[in-house]
Amino acid sequence: MAKPKPFKTPVLILKEGSSRSRGRDAWRANTTAARIVAEAVKSALGPKGMDKMLVNSLGDITVTSDGRTILDEMDVEHPAAKMMVEVAKTQDEEVGDGTSTTVIVAGELLGKAEGLINKNVHPVVIVEGYNKAASKALETLEKIAIPVKPTEKEFLKKVAVTSMASKLVSENKEQLAEIAVEAVLHVAQKVGDEYRTDLDDIMVEKKPGESVTETKFIEGLVLDKEVVHSGMPKRVEKAKIALLESALEVKKTEFDAKINVNHLGQMESFLREEEKMLKEMVEKIVATGGNVVICQKGIDDMAQHFLARKGMLAVQRANKPDMEKLAKATGGKVVTNLDDLTEKDLGYAELVEERKIGDDKMTFIEGCKNPRSTAILIRGGTEGIVDEAERSIHDALCVARDVVQEPKILAGGGSPEMEIARALRDHAESLPGREQLAVQSFAEAIETVPSTLGENAGLDPIDILSELRSRHEKGEKWAGVDVFKGKINDMKELEVYDPLAVKKQAIKSATEAATMILRIDDVITAGKMQAPPTPHGGPRKMPSAGYGGMPPPEH
Ligand SMILES: Nc1ncnc2c1ncn2[C@@H]1O[C@H](COP(=O)(O)OP(=O)(O)OP(=O)(O)O)[C@@H](O)[C@H]1O
Ligand SMILES: [Mg+2]
């Protein structure tokens, strides 16, 4: 058979502008990008970690040491770097804390893998070794975890304090931890032998002003809205609350309408008709027995006036999630059509009151039908501090919830990581050749947690690791980095505790991210889409949506 003739012209498979990298080049590029991301959060780990100032394209400034926030705000471009950002997101959504740890460990796992690849260990073998190491690590954590009582405030508070030790608001960690734990216990529900906690039941509102010490736990809800009319009562006891989704206004036509008025009387009767309609709307609410109205949309001035005359308290433009929370808390129903409103749809609260908070007014709904409804009102000197306090309280709420749901804790300061490394080194001996190398690399990678904690506290990472290794060999399983004294100490005695759930998820997420990136040996990047140039050289316009992203047809 005749041999096929070689092609004279190159065969183009990819579109113009696409790029492709394969094999080692692809690994190297991905690993480098992911490690740079990990490097960026490294200095923020632990109580002695530094904060980062991030300025977005609009010039907004965020100062934080929260791993997820740093990565979110960094707005990275490289696909492997984006995967790391996703990992931090997953960690945050699953357990709410440990995002920095996860990203740092994932970066280190990739760094160690690069060393192995250079020694000709195939990535598939590394992936297998890493997976085995991860399951051994999880087993070790389960083994050393300390069981606690799910509703015991003492441990929940210690866990919450640890999670806030590394934040900007750490000075107020005791008080904020107390608030977070109280809120979580308030919404915890027993289901069978376990407790379930839905953090959506906790409303978190923030208002710049005063100081973080003025942050309060509220048994009820709080809306960042004021009572709409000065003639309305500012306080209603035994409130029966109508929750309306539609506006208390006369509907406007969707098209421009013209009304020809020939004499003044017609104009007056037109206005009177509008007034009558608004009055009827208010009458409908009054007829159900309601004395408070919370409206998701606007309330017409005239309707406000009628409501005030009836002695009702009204709030307008509450946002949708708040409406849902209000319905859950007060046992009411959000009604779309006012005609459907009945007495049964009204929610109940002991007290609805407008209070002055700083320069603004907020509406408090307390003593709700559902006793579990809870809110936290965060205060702080500036908007930046209030935002960071919110992120810290989020972490504290999450870790307290994690322990309520899975009542096991670990001492922190890198001590569980050292135990994992020790167990892995023992385990590695039982494995064949190259996999053994991968498991040992995993052990070294996980040790980056204590060494980074130490490094951030100004200690020498090599000294720290060698002392920690020898003390763990001797059976001191809670020996970790005491970042405040600058030496190795028993973390259990120092009462630095992290939830087991956070550490387990960190191992899982970090391993998944690293192995996913390691498996990629081909990166194909499509060329960037560009808007077509305009015929007259004028400013470029994006293609209109009507053509499904295609350039508009030529006329
Ligand atoms: N007083 C302390 N002494 C030593 N280590 C501590 C102390 N308090 C907390 N840590 C440790 O600091 C680490 C947590 O640091 P940090 O909160 O900065 O990062 P993260 O929880 O991994 O991520 P993030 O909070 O940004 O989501 C944990 O390993 C924890 O055990
Ligand atoms: Mg943390």
Side-chain angles (χ1 to χ4, degrees):
M1 234 172 79
K3 264 189 173 176
K5 276 190 190 162
F7 290 115
K8 290 251 170 63
T9 45
V11 182
L12 293 177
I13 298 172
L14 300 172
K15 274 197 186 148
E16 201 185 328
S18 322
S19 63
R20 182 172 190 185
S21 70
R22 285 197 281 183
R24 284 200 183 200
D25 285 345
W27 288 321
R28 200 147 296 137
N30 284 338
T31 309
T32 311
R35 286 181 68 191
I36 290 171
V37 170
E39 210 57 43
V41 286
K42 220 168 168 180
S43 67
L45 184 77
K48 291 275 181 171
M50 305 293 275
D51 295 329
K52 308 248 169 221
M53 180 187 265
L54 302 138
V55 186
N56 71 8
S57 53
L58 299 173
D60 296 336
I61 300 169
T62 309
V63 177
T64 184
S65 66
D66 189 63
R68 177 183 177 177
T69 315
I70 298 172
L71 295 180
D72 264 355
E73 297 285 330
M74 265 167 55
D75 203 8
V76 295
E77 174 79 31
H78 194 281
K82 280 193 176 150
M83 280 163 112
M84 296 289 266
V85 178
E86 283 302 311
V87 174
K89 221 186 245 177
T90 315
Q91 177 76 14
D92 195 41
E93 274 154 22
E94 289 288 321
V95 286
D97 193 20
T99 55
S100 310
T101 306
T102 310
V103 172
I104 295 169
V105 171
E108 205 60 28
L109 283 173
L110 287 168
K112 298 286 173 210
E114 206 172 0
L116 291 176
I117 291 174
N118 288 340
K119 281 190 209 156
N120 277 333
V121 182
H122 195 277
V124 170
V125 179
I126 305 176
V127 168
E128 223 152 87
Y130 276 4
N131 283 333
K132 280 192 184 152
S135 52
K136 184 77 194 165
L138 295 178
E139 211 178 278
T140 313
L141 288 180
E142 287 281 0
K143 214 187 289 171
I144 60 172
I146 308 162
V148 291
K149 264 203 1 242
T151 49
E152 200 167 347
K153 220 171 168 181
E154 187 196 342
F155 284 105
L156 294 180
K157 201 178 149 192
K158 279 173 191 154
V159 171
V161 165
T162 304
S163 82
M164 284 197 280
S166 50
K167 308 286 185 236
L168 201 70
V169 291
S170 62
E171 260 179 50
N172 308 95
K173 60 187 179 192
E174 291 283 338
Q175 187 211 350
L176 297 183
E178 177 81 36
I179 292 174
V181 169
E182 202 169 335
V184 167
L185 287 178
H186 213 80
V187 298
Q189 254 177 311
K190 197 163 186 190
V191 182
D193 288 340
E194 293 175 352
Y195 282 88
R196 293 267 141 244
T197 317
D198 187 358
L199 292 188
D200 283 343
D201 287 345
I202 303 171
M203 184 181 232
V204 180
E205 276 291 342
K206 47 188 180 177
K207 180 97 344 217
E210 304 240 17
S211 75
V212 179
T213 46
E214 293 305 309
T215 299
K216 292 244 157 39
F217 166 79
I218 295 153
E219 262 185 60
L221 300 180
V222 53
L223 296 176
D224 190 3
K225 302 278 169 214
E226 56 183 313
V227 172
V228 288
H229 194 278
S230 56
M232 286 178 177
K234 301 285 182 266
R235 180 186 165 95
V236 172
E237 283 177 24
K238 303 208 185 321
K240 288 188 180 160
I241 310 164
L243 301 167
L244 304 178
E245 198 188 339
S246 54
L248 270 185
E249 289 166 352
V250 175
K251 272 209 183 91
K252 305 262 183 308
T253 52
E254 288 197 359
F255 41 86
D256 281 341
K258 234 188 223 169
I259 299 168
N260 287 326
V261 181
N262 295 328
H263 56 87
L264 201 62
Q266 272 180 334
M267 182 68 196
E268 259 173 29
S269 70
F270 176 74
L271 289 176
R272 222 175 296 129
E273 187 58 28
E274 204 175 82
E275 206 179 295
K276 198 173 130 223
M277 283 162 83
L278 291 168
K279 203 170 182 179
E280 273 170 15
M281 285 181 177
V282 172
E283 293 292 347
K284 266 180 211 152
I285 305 172
V286 175
T288 59
N291 52 11
V292 170
V293 178
I294 297 178
C295 191
Q296 195 179 318
K297 306 242 168 70
I299 303 177
D300 188 281
D301 287 354
M302 192 56 80
Q304 290 179 14
H305 166 75
F306 289 132
L307 285 167
R309 278 229 307 242
K310 295 280 176 197
M312 312 232 310
L313 183 159
V315 171
Q316 66 176 348
R317 304 199 190 284
N319 63 30
K320 196 170 166 54
D322 285 354
M323 291 301 281
E324 282 161 14
K325 283 195 178 116
L326 278 164
K328 201 168 172 187
T330 62
K333 199 171 137 204
V334 182
V335 175
T336 315
N337 188 348
L338 188 59
D339 291 333
D340 298 341
L341 185 76
T342 64
E343 197 186 341
K344 271 197 286 179
D345 301 322
L346 299 179
Y348 179 80
E350 291 288 334
L351 178 67
V352 175
E353 187 178 30
E354 179 193 87
R355 288 177 204 153
K356 201 152 185 239
I357 303 291
D359 289 338
D360 289 323
K361 290 167 188 160
M362 298 179 100
T363 304
F364 289 72
I365 297 116
E366 291 175 344
C368 298
K369 199 170 190 175
N370 177 359
R372 271 194 296 277
S373 46
T374 314
I376 295 174
L377 177 59
I378 303 175
R379 307 300 313 275
T382 65
E383 208 158 311
I385 292 186
V386 178
D387 287 344
E388 182 66 354
E390 186 191 16
R391 288 189 283 271
S392 311
I393 286 197
H394 161 81
D395 282 21
L397 288 172
C398 287
V399 291
R401 174 208 51 195
D402 294 340
V403 178
V404 168
Q405 295 193 2
E406 187 180 358
K408 282 183 182 170
I409 56 173
L410 295 161
S415 56
E417 283 83 0
M418 288 311 296
E419 271 303 293
I420 291 175
R422 198 179 62 84
L424 287 179
R425 289 202 177 94
D426 286 349
H427 178 60
E429 282 167 18
S430 66
L431 293 172
R434 294 181 179 217
E435 236 169 61
Q436 191 178 82
L437 291 179
V439 173
Q440 274 163 355
S441 293
F442 194 108
E444 279 167 32
I446 195 102
E447 283 177 346
T448 189
V449 176
S451 76
T452 307
L453 282 172
E455 214 176 325
N456 288 346
L459 306 171
D460 185 276
I462 298 175
D463 292 349
I464 289 284
L465 277 188
S466 51
E467 191 180 341
L468 275 174
R469 279 185 196 152
S470 85
R471 300 218 359 206
H472 277 259
E473 269 319 312
K474 283 186 209 142
E476 289 184 42
K477 68 177 171 195
W478 299 123
V481 189
D482 180 349
V483 292
F484 295 109
K485 294 236 171 71
K487 58 178 189 160
I488 307 297
N489 241 330
D490 189 308
M491 286 294 136
K492 201 170 166 217
E493 271 168 28
L494 290 180
E495 303 190 316
V496 172
Y497 292 118
D498 290 310
L500 172 66
V502 170
K503 289 282 168 204
K504 281 205 304 195
Q505 186 63 40
I507 303 263
K508 285 187 216 160
S509 313
T511 315
E512 262 170 33
T515 53
M516 191 153 74
I517 292 174
L518 273 176
R519 277 176 192 279
I520 300 168
D521 78 335
D522 203 347
V523 179
I524 303 162
T525 316
K528 285 251 174 341
M529 222 178 85
Q530 278 190 352
T534 54
H536 314 295
R540 281 183 173 186
K541 260 193 188 163
M542 282 312 285
S544 78
Y547 297 103
M550 297 292 287
E554 280 172 23
H555 297 290

